[in-house]
Amino acid sequence: MLALAGKTISNILIAIGATILALMMFLTALDVGLRYLFNSPLSGAFELVEYMMAIVIPFSIVYCAEMKAHVSVELILARFPKKFQLIVNALTTLIAVAFTGVMAWQNLLYIGEVYDSHLTSSVLLIPTYPFVIPVALGIGAFALMLLIHFIEIASRMVKP
Amino acid sequence: MTPFTIGIIGIFVLIFLIFSRMHIGISMGLVGFLGFAAIIGWEPALGLLRNVPYTTFASNDLSVIPLFILMGSFAFASGMSEDLYRTVHKLLGHLRGGLAMATVAACACFAAISGSSLATAATLGKVAMPEMKKYNYDTALATGSIAAGGSIGILIPPSVILIIYGIITEQSIGKLFLAGFVPGILEALFYIFTIMVLTRRRPELGPPGPRTTLNDKLISLLKTWEVIVLFIVVIGGIYLGVFTPTEAAGVGAFGTFVFSIMRRKMNWETLKSSLLSTANTTGMLFLIVLGAMILGYFFSVSRLPFELATWVGGWPVNRVVVLLMILVTVGLLGCIMDSMAIVLLTVPVFYPMILQLQFDPIWFGILVVRVTEMGLITPPVGLNVYIIQGITGEPMGTIFKGVTPFIIADLCEILLLIAVPQITLFLPGLMAG
């Protein structure tokens, strides 16, 4: 149930993230093209790319967690018994859930902080706070993915 | 406890967490957060978690990473790498060991439009392995040359790791790219020479392939024009100052996209899979980058790198000894960790030392990356070896046996790069600004 919810969230987020990634490529190429061919660069392309990155990157992280494409070291732990490996795995995952959970909560607070500061981009004057939302959302969803992963490990520990 | 002691404890906790198989990015972030809290306090440490993710992600400078990865994904989907291999195959295939040499040369060329060595190894593994099988190549030599050739990708620009190095040390990415070029080519030549030596001593390892006519060679060379155009536009543009690296990456990705459409290889499915695989790699990298950023704050308040630099600076030994010690440390980490993580972890610690000893930062960057690159093919965790194993199904032991001569070639090249810094530095020296 939770796993299905996680997969759905990840699918939605990555669809948005991948679309913005493609737009980011077109925008950068268009900016360069307009500047060199017609001598009229897009104003604000620089900050638009920044805002796009604020969406692409956190959503990509959620996707990569869903794909479980993790970089981790499989060296010493692999020599221990399976049961012990599972326990260590469960523990580290739980710590990771707690840490990313705190980070998501802090970023949620950050949305309000940036909103109150009335921060905007420098050329197009687009408010910054809406772009903190995907960061908070992405980290929150990442924490959820790790939680789902933890539940998987825990259930494997109960019935081997 | 002094901040310095907390810094040392932090490093040990970090190593422990990484060995407990916690994700490297999360381990770095967690240790950075706790260490920062221990030195400065909880409130500022929570502030770090609040600010750092947004400022790290919403960065125009770092957008160069997904864009270059996207360029590589499009190049992968477009079938350009297969054409490259066929061309070099026609040029070198008739030589003894020629197919293995062609693999290495094609890897070097593909690296010129792709920032990732894993993609290079994976692509060439699919095309080159069946050919070498057909001509009865020794399995160890065949798989070894693919795994080793794939590792060239990191050094030849565009290179994601050099971008990261440039950002953390505030060095010019353009200069780093140019500096990586000659050592990357040299690496390919060293590998080709290794194959020559091996097949001269034991010709049965790599029998010659078919001869082709000059006409054939020229026609196939023309087929690679897209790769040549892309490389000239992207790297030439950065060199001449026409583009910033971000713009070059955007133009390069767009150009590769257009070429894939012209080759009729781009459809909805390939577009989707290219974007998704880019997102996957990008997500993996940025999680590590995020962790490293938080860890970086902790390191700087602990003053660990600076204290180490001052301490090492006072040693009564030649500065080259210190450099070798640093590179050996990086190399050992390379055996167990991924290149990106090593650069993000060690460069902030060692960089002040390098400045203190007045080594050239660009040269050091190339050396560090070159050494971590070797880690892709060394046991026990040689990522390229795993990839080749996955594609070819050959036993791990055979592939590791196959890469051994290439590891020796690696060591020789690294020593040469240390002995003659001009190999690395003359090209960036020519760059304006």
Side-chain angles (χ1 to χ4, degrees):
Chain A
M1 183 59 203
L2 196 59
L4 187 70
K7 192 152 181 57
T8 315
I9 293 172
S10 156
N11 282 345
I12 296 171
L13 294 187
I14 197 55
I16 301 171
T19 312
I20 304 280
L21 174 64
L23 288 178
M24 200 165 87
M25 171 186 82
F26 288 123
L27 180 79
T28 314
L30 186 69
D31 177 39
V32 176
L34 287 177
R35 191 174 44 183
Y36 285 101
L37 301 179
F38 304 102
N39 208 11
S40 63
L42 283 175
S43 56
F46 187 91
E47 56 197 48
L48 283 178
V49 168
E50 283 185 350
Y51 281 162
M52 287 171 149
M53 284 286 284
I55 304 169
V56 172
I57 302 303
F59 292 0
S60 297
I61 290 180
V62 178
Y63 178 67
C64 122
E66 223 271 317
M67 304 293 288
K68 299 210 176 68
H70 279 335
V71 185
S72 56
V73 177
E74 297 262 353
L75 189 60
I76 292 179
L77 205 62
R79 298 178 199 279
F80 285 96
K82 263 269 166 308
K83 188 91 185 165
F84 180 77
Q85 287 188 37
L86 269 181
I87 294 171
V88 174
N89 210 339
L91 262 177
T92 53
T93 312
L94 196 60
I95 296 171
V97 173
F99 178 59
T100 48
V102 172
M103 201 193 278
W105 164 57
Q106 286 300 320
N107 275 274
L108 216 55
L109 298 179
Y110 193 54
I111 301 173
E113 203 177 287
V114 176
Y115 179 78
D116 290 337
S117 73
H118 300 291
L119 206 65
T120 67
S121 66
S122 51
V123 180
L124 302 175
L125 303 178
I126 305 169
T128 303
Y129 80 89
F131 299 95
V132 186
I133 299 173
V135 175
L137 187 66
I139 297 174
F142 179 60
L144 178 70
M145 296 299 158
L146 290 173
L147 180 66
I148 294 168
H149 188 51
F150 169 74
I151 295 171
E152 263 170 38
I153 303 168
S155 63
R156 245 187 301 158
M157 270 162 62
V158 180
K159 43 171 199 252
Chain B
M1 256 194 300
T2 62
F4 183 79
T5 323
I6 299 176
I8 298 280
I9 295 173
I11 289 184
F12 280 106
V13 175
L14 182 63
I15 294 171
F16 178 76
L17 288 178
I18 291 174
F19 277 116
S20 311
R21 259 194 345 203
M22 187 186 260
H23 181 282
I24 286 173
I26 298 178
S27 312
M28 292 204 245
L30 180 64
V31 169
F33 167 67
L34 294 177
F36 196 84
I39 296 173
I40 308 283
W42 286 103
E43 229 359 88
L46 286 172
L48 219 53
L49 295 191
R50 208 154 47 222
N51 294 316
V52 177
Y54 179 78
T55 46
T56 306
F57 299 159
S59 150
N60 193 293
D61 285 344
L62 288 179
S63 70
V64 65
I65 295 177
L67 290 174
F68 270 134
I69 297 175
L70 187 60
M71 178 177 169
S73 300
F74 284 151
F76 179 81
S78 71
M80 282 181 205
S81 43
E82 282 92 343
D83 280 354
L84 264 178
Y85 178 72
R86 277 186 203 108
T87 301
V88 207
H89 178 167
K90 287 209 170 97
L91 295 177
L92 301 172
H94 61 282
L95 300 173
R96 204 184 274 160
L99 295 181
M101 293 178 196
T103 308
V104 170
C107 284
C109 299
F110 190 63
I113 49 169
S114 160
S116 143
S117 72
L118 295 184
T120 313
T123 323
L124 268 298
K126 272 178 220 146
V127 217
M129 196 61 200
E131 282 295 310
M132 289 197 265
K133 273 239 161 92
K134 200 162 97 192
Y135 290 96
N136 281 323
Y137 267 55
D138 174 66
T139 318
L141 177 68
T143 49
S145 63
I146 303 171
S151 77
I152 301 174
I154 298 189
L155 219 48
I156 293 184
S159 155
V160 170
I161 298 198
L162 285 178
I163 295 168
I164 290 285
Y165 179 86
I167 287 168
I168 41 185
T169 60
E170 296 176 339
Q171 293 295 324
S172 148
I173 290 170
K175 282 194 174 171
L176 282 164
F177 274 10
L178 291 175
F181 187 66
V182 177
I185 301 289
L186 195 64
E187 180 181 354
L189 293 177
F190 266 72
Y191 288 164
I192 289 176
F193 182 71
T194 310
I195 298 167
M196 259 166 69
V197 172
L198 288 173
T199 49
R200 180 163 291 267
R201 287 180 51 202
R202 293 178 55 200
E204 73 280 8
L205 293 180
R211 281 200 168 273
T212 50
T213 62
L214 186 65
N215 211 6
D216 251 11
K217 287 183 176 136
L218 287 177
I219 290 174
S220 74
L221 202 58
L222 283 178
K223 273 196 181 160
T224 59
W225 67 275
E226 292 121 317
V227 176
I228 299 168
V229 167
L230 284 171
F231 184 73
I232 291 177
V233 169
V234 170
I235 304 305
I238 295 176
Y239 174 69
L240 295 171
V242 180
F243 309 134
T244 63
T246 306
E247 290 167 349
V251 170
F254 179 71
T256 319
F257 176 68
V258 172
F259 286 148
S260 335
I261 294 176
M262 283 161 58
R263 289 169 151 255
R264 299 175 193 285
K265 288 284 168 62
M266 190 52 70
N267 53 40
W268 183 240
E269 275 314 305
T270 43
L271 176 63
K272 208 171 100 181
S273 72
S274 303
L275 287 170
L276 288 182
S277 81
T278 304
N280 194 3
T281 316
T282 307
M284 199 167 79
L285 292 179
F286 270 83
L287 194 53
I288 304 178
V289 172
L290 175 63
M293 290 288 169
I294 300 175
L295 187 68
Y297 281 97
F298 165 46
F299 276 162
S300 48
V301 296
S302 77
R303 300 197 43 81
L304 182 81
F306 309 99
E307 306 257 352
L308 277 180
T310 329
W311 179 55
V312 170
W315 283 2
V317 291
N318 191 305
R319 59 183 193 146
V320 177
V321 176
V322 180
L323 179 76
L324 287 176
M325 282 170 59
I326 293 176
L327 292 178
V328 168
T329 313
V330 171
L332 289 177
L333 284 172
C335 296
I336 52 166
M337 271 164 76
D338 149 88
S339 321
M340 174 67 75
I342 299 172
V343 167
L344 282 166
L345 191 64
T346 60
V347 169
V349 178
F350 292 137
Y351 192 63
M353 249 182 241
I354 290 303
L355 293 182
Q356 171 96 13
L357 297 170
Q358 294 176 336
F359 283 114
D360 187 291
I362 301 270
W363 178 62
F364 177 67
I366 301 300
L367 287 179
V368 166
V369 171
R370 183 66 191 80
V371 171
T372 61
E373 202 180 16
M374 210 172 88
L376 284 171
I377 53 171
T378 46
V381 193
L383 222 42
N384 272 8
V385 173
Y386 284 85
I387 301 256
I388 303 302
Q389 200 261 339
I391 292 170
T392 61
E394 301 296 342
M396 208 70 110
T398 312
I399 309 177
F400 275 125
K401 189 176 139 236
V403 294
T404 311
F406 296 101
I407 295 176
I408 297 168
D410 275 345
L411 288 172
C412 296
E413 198 215 349
I414 292 167
L415 288 177
L416 183 67
L417 291 179
I418 296 173
V420 192
Q422 284 77 15
I423 296 174
T424 313
L425 294 174
F426 91 97
L427 255 192
L430 294 176
M431 190 171 149

